[in-house]
Amino acid sequence: MARKKLGELLQELGYLTEDQLEVALDIQRLSGKSLGELLIDLSFVSPQELAQAIAHQAGREFVDLSVYSPSADALRLIDKNTARQLEVLPLDVEEGRLKLVVSDPFNINIVDMVRRKTGLEVEVLVSDRESILRSIEIYYEQLERPLEEQIKEVIGRASRGEADIPKLVDLFLDEGIIERATDIHVSPEQVASHIFYRIDGVLHHYFSIPREIHPSLVSRVKIIGGMDISEQRLPQDGGFSYTFLGEGYDVRVSTVPTAYGENVVMRLLPKNLSLFNLKNLGFEEDTLRDFEEVISKPYGMLLVTGPTGSGKTTTLYAALRRINALKKNILTVEDPIEYRFPFIKQTQVNEKAGYTFARAVRHFLRQDPDVILIGEVRDEETAEMAVRAAITGHLVLSTLHTNDAVSTIPRLIDLKVKEYMVASGVLAISAQRLVRKICPFCKEEYRASLEELKRFGFTDEMIGKYVKEELVTLYRGRGCEHCRGTGYLGRQAVVELLKIDEEIGDMIVRGYPPLALLQRAKEKGMRTLKEDGLLKVLKGITTPEEVRRVVG
């Protein structure tokens, strides 16, 4: 059977539009490059999405190496030079079968060579070449000399007064990147100072360091972050760029004085964020359908809400990718620009120069826009400008910090937006959180009774709708080396989408309280954050304990 063309397959998977394919084919005729290379150069698709399409072509499973790490047993089966030469990553060994990650699943010679070298049957998985090569460098190095050991060695020398502080800071950053941390905390206490990493939304204690080197560590971070090392009484903010294995990161730094010294938090922001796709974020099919319908409208406002770190920017970027930038004029104002898109005019807030969200929107309206993305609605002026743009023929996407979808309405009214403008200007409000996914390497099933489901928060209505038996199969992670014993690996969004139709709009204008709006929206089919999370429990994606931790 003939293999389906890559361009067609990428379109089917929703990663590429027909217009983008035409542009890429036009440039291909000029440059002679392969289509896959060009699509990545143009940022129409990410290396990961291209690899997913190739995996689909070959009927193989795609593996995201930013989440999955190889086991030490698998790595020992193939030496580093061979892995680098063949561009393969041994991922895991299960019942005499080696799971092998490759970028070209059609190259059977590589699989044969690995089979002969290891004496094992080989199960082929697919990932992109860049991720495979990066993982080879990271994990073989870890096998020979783990970063944890290097850090403990430097800490040990520091205890003897031989501190290499710059190296220690770099090692903490490297370890954080390898562990997929979003934040690194340096917290002083009475006896020692402590290093915590926030991984998949949860803080984990990793290292303790002598109290006496804490001030030197803080000074080093302040110096590279462009902060005042002599000022220790007031909070400060700063930032710097950091490179690890050729990949760039923006690091935002915050310090706060405490009883035992300055507390430091470093937030790690990858510069090369992979292109986002709504299908991969965790939206249920019906919610995704409604969400895509909203962003296909010619005008109106979509608000994505949730606390810091709940994936709002990711969702907005994924929404931008669904809008055809070759046929619509899209302008953004962000703080900061976290990812650069092709054919989209992106600008960055500059408070010192007076370039605020509100000022940007005012000027955007003179740029003949179709779509405006505002990083965040922070104040009355921005809220008013955003809603005015939405009711004067533009599609506006933005974020707001609220707990759920319905509480966004009183928040907008607090920001002096009139009720009738909320009702006529806002198309939908999407609230979201991120829950940890069960680790696929140590996932196990167990049976739960209907009484247990009720204790987990399932209502009689949900049980009636989704549960067909007296005992239900649920899943949990035992804990393994891949997930560092947590039972969880990676995260997914839980979402509630409040569509503001004529009836809900009329209720807003009449001043109905949020509870009444919520009740009516649920009657119309809206799933709350908790219900969406519990649905993912039944699907074996996450656990009841995780939903309770995140949503309550």
Side-chain angles (χ1 to χ4, degrees), residues 526-540:
M526 183 186 92
R527 260 192 311 277
T528 63
L529 286 166
K530 187 169 188 175
E531 287 166 351
D532 195 54
L534 292 173
L535 186 57
K536 286 175 171 59
V537 169
L538 292 176
K539 290 185 171 186

Side-chain angles (χ1 to χ4, degrees), residues 325-384:
L326 292 167
K327 289 197 171 171
K328 292 194 174 180
N329 185 22
I330 304 173
L331 295 111
T332 80
V333 55
E334 305 168 54
D335 184 23
I337 296 171
E338 289 184 28
Y339 180 80
R340 283 168 175 74
F341 285 90
F343 303 100
I344 291 176
K345 293 83 182 172
Q346 294 174 267
T347 70
Q348 186 162 313
V349 165
N350 187 333
E351 299 279 355
K352 285 180 185 172
Y355 188 64
T356 60
F357 284 120
R359 189 168 187 178
V361 177
R362 189 176 291 114
H363 286 278
F364 284 177
L365 295 175
R366 298 171 198 154
Q367 287 274 314
D368 183 33
D370 295 297
V371 181
I372 296 171
L373 183 142
I374 305 164
E376 187 186 337
V377 174
R378 290 180 184 167
D379 51 51
E380 293 175 13
E381 190 183 4
T382 308
E384 187 193 354

Side-chain angles (χ1 to χ4, degrees), residues 147 150-151 154 164-178 184 197 217 220-221 224 240-244 251 266 268:
L147 271 179
Q150 294 181 51
I151 289 169
V154 175
D164 185 347
I165 299 299
K167 183 176 182 182
L168 191 57
V169 170
D170 286 353
L171 287 171
F172 284 147
L173 286 164
D174 293 349
E175 178 77 354
I177 291 165
I178 288 171
I184 303 171
Y197 291 131
L217 199 68
R220 172 62 186 168
V221 173
I224 57 179
F240 58 93
S241 291
Y242 189 74
T243 303
F244 178 68
V251 185
M266 292 180 274
L268 297 169

Side-chain angles (χ1 to χ4, degrees), residues 147-199:
L147 271 179
E148 283 192 34
E149 282 182 19
Q150 294 181 51
I151 289 169
K152 284 171 182 171
E153 190 182 301
V154 175
I155 291 170
R157 289 206 302 270
S159 304
R160 300 190 297 272
E162 305 164 14
D164 185 347
I165 299 299
K167 183 176 182 182
L168 191 57
V169 170
D170 286 353
L171 287 171
F172 284 147
L173 286 164
D174 293 349
E175 178 77 354
I177 291 165
I178 288 171
E179 294 292 333
R180 302 181 298 105
T182 52
D183 302 87
I184 303 171
H185 293 238
V186 186
S187 303
E189 293 295 332
Q190 189 169 3
V191 178
S193 191
H194 303 279
I195 308 298
F196 294 86
Y197 291 131
R198 187 176 292 280
I199 301 163

Side-chain angles (χ1 to χ4, degrees), residues 55-337:
H56 202 278
Q57 263 186 334
R60 300 289 186 180
E61 186 185 338
F62 169 81
V63 61
D64 182 355
L65 292 176
S66 67
V67 178
Y68 295 159
S69 56
S71 72
D73 288 343
L75 289 172
R76 289 189 187 101
L77 291 170
I78 301 172
D79 63 273
K80 184 178 181 178
N81 287 336
T82 304
R84 198 190 274 149
Q85 191 181 339
L86 298 178
E87 296 181 359
V88 299
L89 182 74
L91 189 68
D92 208 11
V93 186
E94 243 177 53
E95 298 172 358
R97 287 173 69 84
L98 171 64
K99 290 187 173 183
L100 186 75
V101 187
V102 304
S103 59
D104 181 4
F106 300 105
N107 189 336
I108 55 173
N109 293 332
I110 287 176
V111 178
D112 283 341
M113 285 170 71
V114 171
R115 190 181 287 121
R116 285 198 302 273
K117 192 171 181 67
T118 61
L120 296 173
E121 277 303 305
V122 175
E123 181 185 336
V124 172
L125 306 169
V126 180
S127 195
D128 60 287
R129 181 175 178 271
E130 291 87 343
S131 295
I132 291 171
L133 293 175
R134 182 175 182 272
S135 294
I136 289 168
E137 294 305 316
I138 290 173
Y139 295 112
Y140 278 99
E141 182 72 25
Q142 285 282 78
L143 199 62
E144 292 161 23
R145 193 158 181 248
L147 271 179
E148 283 192 34
E149 282 182 19
Q150 294 181 51
I151 289 169
K152 284 171 182 171
E153 190 182 301
V154 175
I155 291 170
R157 289 206 302 270
S159 304
R160 300 190 297 272
E162 305 164 14
D164 185 347
I165 299 299
K167 183 176 182 182
L168 191 57
V169 170
D170 286 353
L171 287 171
F172 284 147
L173 286 164
D174 293 349
E175 178 77 354
I177 291 165
I178 288 171
E179 294 292 333
R180 302 181 298 105
T182 52
D183 302 87
I184 303 171
H185 293 238
V186 186
S187 303
E189 293 295 332
Q190 189 169 3
V191 178
S193 191
H194 303 279
I195 308 298
F196 294 86
Y197 291 131
R198 187 176 292 280
I199 301 163
D200 289 337
V202 177
L203 274 181
H204 297 271
H205 181 276
Y206 268 63
F207 306 102
S208 297
I209 59 174
R211 264 291 307 273
E212 53 270 22
I213 69 166
H214 179 83
S216 305
L217 199 68
V218 174
S219 294
R220 172 62 186 168
V221 173
K222 281 182 163 183
I223 288 166
I224 57 179
M227 298 149 81
D228 183 356
I229 60 168
S230 64
E231 179 56 79
Q232 296 171 15
R233 299 161 302 170
L234 294 172
Q236 290 189 64
D237 293 312
F240 58 93
S241 291
Y242 189 74
T243 303
F244 178 68
L245 289 180
E247 198 164 322
Y249 291 82
D250 282 326
V251 185
R252 290 191 208 164
V253 184
S254 169
T255 66
V256 172
T258 72
Y260 298 111
E262 289 178 279
N263 194 78
V264 178
V265 177
M266 292 180 274
R267 169 152 284 195
L268 297 169
L269 296 167
K271 286 181 181 174
N272 310 332
L273 289 173
S274 59
L275 294 171
F276 300 108
N277 194 293
L278 284 168
K279 287 181 180 176
N280 302 337
L281 298 183
F283 284 69
E284 295 298 326
E285 278 185 30
D286 53 348
T287 309
L288 178 61
R289 196 165 50 245
D290 290 342
F291 191 93
E292 290 186 330
E293 186 188 318
V294 169
I295 60 175
S296 68
K297 302 273 189 193
Y299 55 85
M301 188 174 190
L302 168 70
L303 283 165
V304 179
T305 77
T308 303
S310 59
K312 300 186 297 294
T313 304
T314 303
T315 299
L316 281 187
Y317 279 172
L320 273 190
R321 288 197 66 210
R322 296 296 290 170
I323 299 166
N324 190 345
L326 292 167
K327 289 197 171 171
K328 292 194 174 180
N329 185 22
I330 304 173
L331 295 111
T332 80
V333 55
E334 305 168 54
D335 184 23
I337 296 171

